[in-house]
Amino acid sequence: MTRKTGSIYRLFILVLALAAFLQAGCDMGEKEAKRAEVGKPAPVFVLTDIQGNTWNLADLRGKVVFVNFWASWCAPCLEEIPSMVAVNRMIPEEYFQMITVLYNDRPEYALNVVNKAGADFPVLIDLEADAAREYGLTGVPETYIIDPQGILREKFIGPRDWQSMESIAMLEHYFPQSYKKIVE
């Protein structure tokens, strides 16, 4: 073997060893990603809203929780906000909590959108996209319905008319018997 061939051979082995080391390093220490699954406990998150209040999903047990991931740059998200505002006003807060999670967006843009819409639901900031990862977010909007026991019951990908009779009936299905139905 010539000196030049030996150097190339050693370099090739070094590159292969480095690639193997890096591959092993990328897999070590990474947590298995949790994915929200319908019928299983909803992943719990603690996030701060655009007003500076801290929200812990676990604290909302006992209510039906509507979790909507959205962004101000997302046209379908903006289309569904008026129906979300209407539903949030329609259902008493003793039974229901609507929260929205801002995804890949700036809080000041979201604040502008919710103010224009007259929204009174909290907008949580997920700067590191931790909640989005835990829920296995594929895009926005995505909505998750969690029952009073903390079990994820519904997952909706894409926009929806939340004040439709079908949507209201779906939500009411998870309320206790004492709740007076809006849709008969």
Side-chain angles (χ1 to χ4, degrees):
M1 205 181 320
T2 68
R3 186 176 209 171
K4 186 175 183 179
T5 305
S7 294
I8 291 173
Y9 178 74
R10 281 191 294 276
L11 181 61
F12 179 73
I13 296 297
L14 180 63
V15 168
L16 283 178
L18 181 60
F21 175 76
L22 289 175
Q23 178 62 37
C26 289
D27 293 336
M28 293 177 63
E30 285 188 15
K31 290 191 288 187
E32 182 70 25
K34 297 177 192 171
R35 299 285 185 223
E37 289 184 46
V38 172
K40 295 196 175 182
V44 174
F45 54 75
V46 177
L47 295 171
T48 302
D49 68 22
I50 56 178
Q51 311 300 349
N53 303 309
T54 301
W55 289 80
N56 183 336
L57 190 61
D59 292 343
L60 300 175
R61 291 265 166 87
K63 295 182 179 188
V64 172
V65 182
F66 178 110
V67 179
N68 176 270
F69 288 86
W70 71 289
S72 67
W73 45 260
C74 164
C77 298
L78 300 178
E79 289 172 20
E80 75 176 352
I81 286 178
S83 69
M84 289 168 52
V85 169
V87 166
N88 195 47
R89 290 184 179 151
M90 195 180 305
I91 303 173
E93 70 178 59
E94 90 180 78
Y95 299 105
F96 182 70
Q97 179 64 59
M98 179 178 289
I99 57 177
T100 64
V101 181
L102 191 60
Y103 177 73
N104 195 23
D105 201 353
R106 295 181 62 178
E108 58 270 22
Y109 296 158
L111 185 58
N112 187 39
V113 168
V114 296
N115 284 343
K116 281 184 182 176
D120 52 359
F121 46 74
V123 177
L124 310 183
I125 311 302
D126 189 17
L127 288 177
E128 302 298 320
D130 293 332
R133 269 191 298 285
E134 294 242 348
Y135 276 76
L137 195 69
T138 60
V140 289
E142 278 189 21
T143 304
Y144 299 83
I145 307 301
I146 302 167
D147 76 10
Q149 291 75 40
I151 305 298
L152 177 62
R153 294 298 178 186
E154 307 280 346
K155 175 181 179 177
F156 298 95
I157 296 174
R160 188 172 179 97
D161 177 6
W162 294 107
Q163 61 187 0
S164 71
M165 287 181 59
E166 177 185 76
S167 294
I168 298 294
M170 177 275 303
L171 289 169
E172 288 181 335
H173 174 75
Y174 300 108
F175 293 127
Q177 296 293 349
S178 61
Y179 176 75
K180 183 180 180 313
K181 296 204 177 282
I182 296 170
V183 176
E184 298 287 348

